[in-house]
Amino acid sequence: MNRSWFHCIKVQLPYLLYVVSPHCQAYSDERRQEVVLEERRSEFLEITPVYYGEMFTNARGGKTTKDATQYQGLLDLEFRLDLEKLGVRMPGSLYLLAQNTHGRGLSQDFIGDTQVISNIDSLDNIMQVSEYWWESQWLEDDVTIRLGKQDLNTEFQRIDGAEFFIQSTFGLSPSTAFPTYPDQALGAVALLQLQDSLQLKVGAWSAFARGSTWGSSASDSYLVISELERRYALFQDTLPGIASVGALYESEGELDGQPVSAVREYFFQWEQAVYRETPGDEESQQGLALFAGYYPRISGADIILESIGDSAVAGMTYTGLLNGRDNDVLGLGVAWAELYQGGTNSETVTELFYRATWTSRLSVQPDLQYISTPSGIFKDALAVGMRFEFRP
């Protein structure tokens, strides 16, 4: 039908169409079918685009401050398909993540730090299918199985309280050669809910795979990891906390033509709310929280000079510090790493940020990072920048 919208006077509510003019009945029938299809599609297919953009400058120290202002961006495009709602004879859901990065970060050319000041820095522009996996729940959702190309940091070595820190070591640094952004890999994960507050996580991955591949490496190298997580609450269940302990083993292999010996690591993580402005409201996050993580590694004989040994993070966040800004987050944290490049053989980063949530779609985050002895061999550096996050 080629009828103009102006030939009809209509009122449209969510998935409900009233047509006033009888001459538009044929058009409305077609439109109604389209609306029904859109409604059904929205029930089983969820598409989520997210764009992160940031501009940083090296204000002092590091390798150089000349022309040391750079922009970089990351586009995440998530697809989640609910198989049960789709009506196929297969339980669970399918997930796919496509990623594109563009621009350039400061770490390689200007600061020379090993921990990487930005967790969206892929160290090289990428356009790839970073994750694709199938997930299903069993035994009344007490067991979750996930198979496919995936990020280790989605479930393991993750501190929720450090979510908005930009510096990489508050999550997992790309320098660790683990199967995490931007080099996710094929893996299998099982999440076992032992009790309401106790969860056991186990996983196995193909090691040393590149994210630009479909998730497997040319070698037989592998990584296995386990983590036990306990959730609790203090002071009459008003202050929630999380404590976890885990261990991993990565077999020997080869990375960029360089031999890598086996690595054993164990870790401890803790986060705790210490003050809530409205303690009786379980949904409110306003208040002060602390977190810490320690990741000692037992390395083999062949150590990659650019890799990280032991590392640790600690910090605090305050949500809703200013009146009328309940979702804003103020954060202060320190990340330390043992290195093998000479000099001080260590690197310490202190980060301060304020994340302002302007709308449900847009947040803006000024950020300061002081990097003490980048890679252990360069002058102390100061990175000043701004990140924004947009959800169309």
Side-chain angles (χ1 to χ4, degrees):
M1 301 295 291
N2 294 318
R3 297 182 183 273
S4 168
W5 282 93
F6 297 103
H7 292 169
C8 300
I9 301 175
K10 67 185 180 67
V11 178
Q12 184 174 343
L13 298 175
Y15 308 115
L16 183 61
L17 188 65
Y18 297 93
V19 178
V20 176
S21 172
H23 300 290
C24 298
Q25 186 62 48
Y27 177 86
S28 67
D29 289 342
E30 291 182 358
R31 178 56 184 157
R32 188 177 292 110
Q33 292 177 1
E34 292 176 1
V35 170
V36 170
L37 290 175
E38 291 173 0
E39 182 181 12
R40 289 187 59 194
R41 188 180 300 114
S42 66
E43 288 180 352
F44 59 77
L45 177 61
E46 180 181 351
I47 303 175
T48 308
V50 185
Y51 182 79
Y52 305 88
E54 62 185 33
M55 181 173 288
F56 271 87
T57 185
N58 182 25
R60 58 159 289 181
K63 286 184 172 181
T64 179
T65 58
K66 184 178 180 180
D67 299 324
T69 300
Q70 298 288 313
Y71 177 87
Q72 65 178 340
L74 164 66
L75 174 62
D76 283 351
L77 188 58
E78 297 181 337
F79 299 85
R80 190 180 296 272
L81 183 65
D82 191 315
L83 298 175
E84 295 180 3
K85 290 183 178 179
L86 183 60
V88 301
R89 294 183 177 180
M90 185 176 181
S93 61
L94 296 176
Y95 176 86
L96 184 144
L97 171 64
Q99 293 185 306
N100 169 266
T101 61
H102 45 278
R104 188 74 171 173
L106 296 180
S107 289
Q108 291 178 300
D109 300 326
F110 301 98
I111 296 179
D113 59 306
T114 299
Q115 296 184 83
V116 186
I117 70 164
S118 173
N119 52 23
I120 71 169
D121 192 347
S122 60
L123 305 182
D124 190 13
N125 290 342
I126 62 172
M127 181 177 288
Q128 64 188 35
V129 175
S130 295
E131 297 186 48
Y132 60 91
W133 41 260
W134 168 76
E135 180 182 271
S136 182
Q137 285 76 40
W138 304 84
L139 301 179
E140 298 182 348
D141 295 342
D142 285 340
V143 177
T144 299
I145 303 296
R146 186 180 300 152
L147 304 174
K149 186 181 180 184
Q150 53 191 300
D151 195 319
L152 179 145
N153 198 215
T154 300
E155 297 292 346
F156 299 89
Q157 295 192 350
R158 177 183 178 88
I159 299 178
D160 293 339
E163 175 184 4
F164 298 122
F165 283 83
I166 293 177
Q167 213 287 330
S168 293
T169 306
F170 288 104
L172 258 179
S173 172
S175 303
T176 57
F178 289 162
T180 186
Y181 172 85
D183 293 316
Q184 300 93 328
L186 285 173
V189 170
L191 310 176
L192 312 175
Q193 200 67 42
L194 305 180
Q195 299 176 0
D196 290 343
S197 60
L198 187 64
Q199 185 180 54
L200 176 64
K201 310 174 185 180
V202 293
W205 272 266
S206 173
F208 309 120
R210 288 304 187 187
S212 57
T213 69
W214 289 105
S216 61
S217 62
S219 68
D220 296 328
S221 302
Y222 62 91
L223 180 146
V224 291
I225 185 172
S226 64
E227 181 176 334
L228 186 64
E229 178 184 277
R230 177 65 181 267
R231 294 178 179 266
Y232 61 91
L234 304 177
F235 299 103
Q236 298 179 342
D237 295 336
T238 60
L239 298 176
I242 305 174
S244 60
V245 59
L248 68 83
Y249 172 80
E250 188 174 41
S251 67
E252 62 182 11
E254 186 175 289
L255 183 64
D256 295 334
Q258 183 175 353
V260 181
S261 60
V263 172
R264 296 169 178 83
E265 175 177 310
Y266 54 98
F267 53 93
F268 307 92
Q269 296 179 157
W270 168 79
E271 41 189 315
Q272 177 66 58
V274 295
Y275 170 70
R276 283 287 183 263
E277 293 185 6
T278 53
D281 187 353
E282 295 182 359
E283 297 183 358
S284 174
Q285 300 297 316
Q286 292 177 259
L288 178 65
L290 306 177
F291 67 86
Y294 179 45
Y295 311 91
R297 302 179 68 178
I298 304 174
S299 301
D302 299 319
I303 297 174
I304 300 177
L305 294 181
E306 294 80 10
S307 68
I308 292 176
D310 294 357
S311 62
V313 296
M316 57 179 288
T317 59
Y318 199 107
T319 303
L321 180 64
L322 303 180
N323 290 333
R325 308 294 306 176
D326 294 350
N327 296 318
D328 289 3
V329 180
L330 173 68
L332 175 64
V334 177
W336 167 86
E338 175 191 25
L339 306 175
Y340 308 104
Q341 303 178 48
T344 63
N345 274 329
S346 68
E347 179 181 282
T348 304
V349 181
T350 302
E351 179 177 0
L352 173 67
F353 72 85
Y354 185 87
R355 184 178 189 270
T357 303
W358 293 111
T359 69
S360 60
R361 299 180 182 274
L362 177 66
S363 65
V364 179
Q365 181 173 334
D367 189 270
L368 292 174
Q369 295 185 40
Y370 186 85
I371 304 98
S372 177
T373 62
S375 293
I377 56 178
F378 296 109
K379 294 180 180 179
D380 292 2
L382 176 64
V384 182
M386 175 86 71
R387 169 180 287 185
F388 70 90
E389 177 182 333
F390 178 61
R391 298 175 178 268

